[in-house]
Amino acid sequence: MYAVEQYARAHIVTDSAQETPAVPVALRYDPEAEPPEVHVTLPGQHEWVVARDLLERGLRTPTESGDIRIWPCGRVQTVVEFHSPEGVAVVQFDVKALIRFLRRTYMAGAPVAH
């Protein structure tokens, strides 16, 4: 089995009136890790660990676990909110990029047919 890595363009949401440009966010999944987790690395090397099933549920309905909240934003966006002692990071992803990544994580864990 192999790790799944993908860059997704995302918007870091701020309280500024100016629109922020999309930035690359690294998504990584190791199929051998238990429990199944997705590592999300924001610019500046800020890394968060999200349960794969939490990320998947958040595409359809608001959900949260600990310091992470995820909810759909319309039909084409998903918002992920990370809380830490240093503050809050709010990231808006295109749903298609997250779905594509999640599909790849399930394929990575599938047994190889001979």
Side-chain angles (χ1 to χ4, degrees):
M1 290 193 261
Y2 58 93
V4 175
E5 295 181 340
Q6 175 179 314
Y7 281 91
R9 308 276 306 155
H11 289 274
I12 308 295
V13 180
T14 68
D15 58 1
S16 170
Q18 295 179 333
E19 178 150 343
T20 58
V23 296
V25 175
L27 304 170
R28 185 174 194 286
Y29 172 77
D30 181 353
E32 295 181 1
E34 192 57 45
E37 299 172 328
V38 173
H39 294 256
V40 179
T41 305
L42 303 176
Q45 301 303 315
H46 301 287
E47 182 175 278
W48 295 86
V49 178
V50 180
R52 181 174 62 175
D53 65 332
L54 181 73
L55 183 58
E56 190 170 7
R57 277 196 320 269
L59 297 176
R60 296 181 307 276
T61 186
T63 187
E64 66 180 270
S65 178
D67 296 335
I68 300 170
R69 295 181 180 94
I70 305 170
W71 65 92
C73 181
R75 295 182 349 175
V76 297
Q77 301 288 313
T78 296
V79 175
V80 182
E81 185 178 277
F82 303 103
H83 292 257
S84 75
E86 293 82 34
V88 177
V90 181
V91 184
Q92 189 174 30
F93 289 93
D94 285 338
V95 170
K96 287 182 182 182
L98 294 178
I99 289 172
R100 186 172 39 251
F101 174 75
L102 287 168
R103 282 185 183 148
R104 291 181 61 216
T105 69
Y106 284 105
M107 292 186 330
V112 177
H114 294 285

